[in-house]
Amino acid sequence: MGMIIAVISGKGGVGKTTATANIGLGIAMHGRKCVVVDFDIGQRNLDMILGLENRVVYDLVQVMDGEASLKQALIKSKSNENLYFLAASQTKDKSVLVSSKIKKLVDELSLQFEYVILDAPAGIESGYEHTIEFADSAIVIVNPEVSSIRDSDRAIGILDSKSQKVKDGEEVDKYLIINRIIPEMVQSGDMLSSEDILEILNIKLLGKVAEDKGVIEASNQGTPIILDPKSVAGAAYKRIAARLCGDNIPIQEPTVNNKGLVGKLKGLFS
Amino acid sequence: MNFPWNKKRKSAEVAKDRLRIAIMTDKQNDNYPFMEDLKKDIIDVVRKYIEVQDIDIKKECHGEFEALSIDVQVKEK
Ligand SMILES: Nc1ncnc2c1ncn2[C@@H]1O[C@H](COP(=O)(O)OP(=O)(O)OP(=O)(O)O)[C@@H](O)[C@H]1O
Ligand SMILES: [Mg+2]
């Protein structure tokens, strides 16, 4: 049985969909079979980030309702044969989700894939609750700023009370990704450091991703940033995927990008 | 730099303190300390009459009023 991982955040727009696409592709590049599922019903986006929007014929609600088979709805990634994608419904709203049908779908997926990654909608309402319901573990995405961190704590609270695993007396594993770190600001004391955030949220750290303009360019093109060998964010997602595949890779702190002469000289001698 | 004449605290430090308090307050507003015990007791009572699937208790704050919302889901036949 594959592992079911929900990507959550509480606050919207912090990078869940970007993370889902890149981690999914990273795991696939590691040779593991992986499916990424867009659970943001009514606000389909993962298809765009993966560059697969033209291939969507059936969505997950149609599969759950028996209008299409899983085989028909699963879309193979253009860049890696180990990665598949299941689209969110664009026409219906979150109220169409029913626990029993979700359970059946994720169970079926976890028979076919080693990793089943669910991209949660923003907020902590029913769409979110349904995404985490049958998850084995959760990746919590935060930005180093107060509202994102506070909201993520609420999302974690719901995860710890509403997921099936918790109701069965087990624990849901939680991993933190700090996204959009600006090293210069952390250094000058104007952005919360990773240590500060970990102290407040008290969950395991999975990775740190720097602010990277390339992420928007990558989404413009529909080619996840992990495919760009020069990108720092891409490299961070590679390490995160490797960690999820069991590799023991130390966490790297995003470093200040010294563009000045002194920085260049420092770079020469380090 | 932490020079004595530079008294202004760094904003990250302020953020950390504010977050700590906000999150603690959020948690208190979410819950009564007796929530888990209450849940068990309610399950025991309802179970005398009908099988319980799940129960959800929420503390709700509406302005000055506090309410306790209890949702009991019975077992499907
Ligand atoms: N490391 C990064 N550096 C720069 N921009 C980023 C980074 N990560 C994400 N972004 C940008 O942030 C925006 C939101 O990202 P994304 O759509 O992945 O967030 P989300 O959490 O899925 O949003 P929603 O809650 O609406 O589903 C996008 O414009 C994305 O390009
Ligand atoms: Mg999203």
Side-chain angles (χ1 to χ4, degrees):
Chain A
M1 286 279 271
M3 195 192 340
I4 299 160
I5 307 171
V7 179
I8 66 171
S9 69
K11 186 173 189 284
V14 300
K16 292 178 294 299
T17 303
T18 309
T20 303
N22 284 289
I23 293 171
L25 191 49
I27 288 173
M29 285 154 75
H30 234 74
R32 308 287 187 88
K33 273 202 95 179
C34 178
V35 62
V36 288
V37 186
D38 192 345
F39 256 78
D40 201 345
I41 312 294
Q43 280 182 297
R44 178 194 285 171
N45 269 147
L46 189 52
D47 56 344
M48 289 286 270
I49 304 301
L50 289 167
L52 296 172
E53 69 276 14
N54 292 328
R55 307 214 178 160
V56 178
V57 182
Y58 297 109
D59 61 61
L60 90 168
V61 175
Q62 287 172 306
V63 175
M64 286 194 274
D65 288 343
E67 289 165 25
S69 71
L70 194 52
K71 205 172 162 218
Q72 284 175 310
L74 281 171
I75 301 162
K76 196 179 192 169
S77 145
K78 285 189 274 195
S79 30
N80 194 296
E81 57 172 19
N82 290 320
L83 180 68
Y84 282 77
F85 160 63
L86 190 54
S89 166
Q90 192 68 313
T91 50
K92 299 178 179 151
D93 62 56
K94 295 178 201 334
S95 64
V96 299
L97 292 173
V98 185
S99 299
S100 55
K101 290 181 182 175
I102 298 170
K103 169 109 179 81
K104 188 163 168 273
L105 177 75
V106 294
D107 278 351
E108 231 177 301
L109 288 171
S110 75
L111 287 176
Q112 294 181 35
F113 296 93
E114 287 175 83
Y115 293 83
V116 180
I117 307 183
L118 316 178
D119 180 17
I124 48 176
E125 311 301 323
S126 73
Y128 166 69
E129 284 187 14
H130 276 126
T131 313
I132 54 120
E133 200 168 3
F134 303 105
D136 299 311
S137 51
I139 296 177
V140 184
I141 314 283
V142 297
N143 293 162
E145 52 95 19
V146 287
S147 32
S148 165
I149 293 164
R150 185 189 195 179
D151 290 0
S152 73
D153 187 72
R154 309 226 52 173
I156 292 168
I158 290 173
L159 182 72
D160 281 339
S161 63
K162 294 259 167 101
S163 71
Q164 192 56 46
K165 222 175 154 191
V166 169
K167 286 178 184 168
D168 294 340
E170 290 173 71
E171 236 182 275
V172 179
D173 299 317
K174 295 175 285 280
Y175 305 99
L176 183 70
I177 292 179
I178 306 172
N179 186 30
R180 307 193 74 158
I181 299 172
I182 303 174
E184 292 84 350
M185 289 187 73
V186 177
Q187 202 177 54
S188 66
D190 284 317
M191 181 175 270
L192 285 157
S193 71
S194 309
E195 291 73 36
D196 292 341
I197 297 170
L198 282 170
E199 221 180 293
I200 291 165
L201 293 178
N202 200 19
I203 61 176
K204 274 169 277 181
L205 183 63
L206 180 63
K208 303 179 189 178
V209 184
E211 172 78 20
D212 185 340
K213 290 196 182 85
V215 173
I216 292 188
E217 288 167 37
S219 68
N220 288 342
Q221 312 262 17
T223 50
I225 190 89
I226 196 167
L227 294 171
D228 176 355
K230 287 195 288 273
S231 153
V232 283
Y237 277 119
K238 261 186 214 148
R239 292 192 294 271
I240 287 168
R243 286 182 197 115
L244 285 169
C245 290
D247 289 3
N248 196 353
I249 298 172
I251 304 271
Q252 262 181 46
E253 186 67 40
T255 47
V256 177
N257 191 5
N258 282 316
K259 289 239 170 72
L261 180 64
V262 181
K264 276 189 187 142
L265 284 175
K266 260 194 204 156
L268 272 180
F269 294 114
S270 64
Chain B
M1 290 295 134
N2 258 331
F3 297 115
W5 57 85
N6 191 355
K7 279 266 170 59
K8 203 166 149 254
R9 288 173 71 213
K10 289 293 182 190
S11 73
E13 219 177 296
V14 179
K16 191 177 174 187
D17 291 343
R18 291 178 55 224
L19 261 173
R20 273 226 184 87
I21 294 166
I23 285 177
M24 208 170 60
T25 321
D26 286 346
K27 285 199 167 116
Q28 280 164 359
N29 286 340
D30 249 14
N31 254 308
Y32 291 111
F34 52 76
M35 222 67 139
E36 280 309 304
D37 293 332
L38 176 66
K39 195 166 163 176
K40 284 194 194 97
D41 284 347
I42 292 175
I43 292 181
D44 285 341
V45 173
V46 181
R47 215 184 244 152
K48 285 187 193 165
Y49 303 92
I50 191 162
E51 267 204 275
V52 179
Q53 171 90 36
D54 196 11
I55 181 164
D56 189 27
I57 311 184
K58 265 198 219 112
K59 178 180 171 185
E60 287 174 2
C61 300
H62 308 279
E64 286 176 32
F65 298 98
E66 279 180 12
L68 199 57
S69 116
I70 301 172
D71 226 328
V72 183
Q73 201 188 332
V74 297
K75 262 233 166 77
E76 290 168 42
K77 278 187 207 135

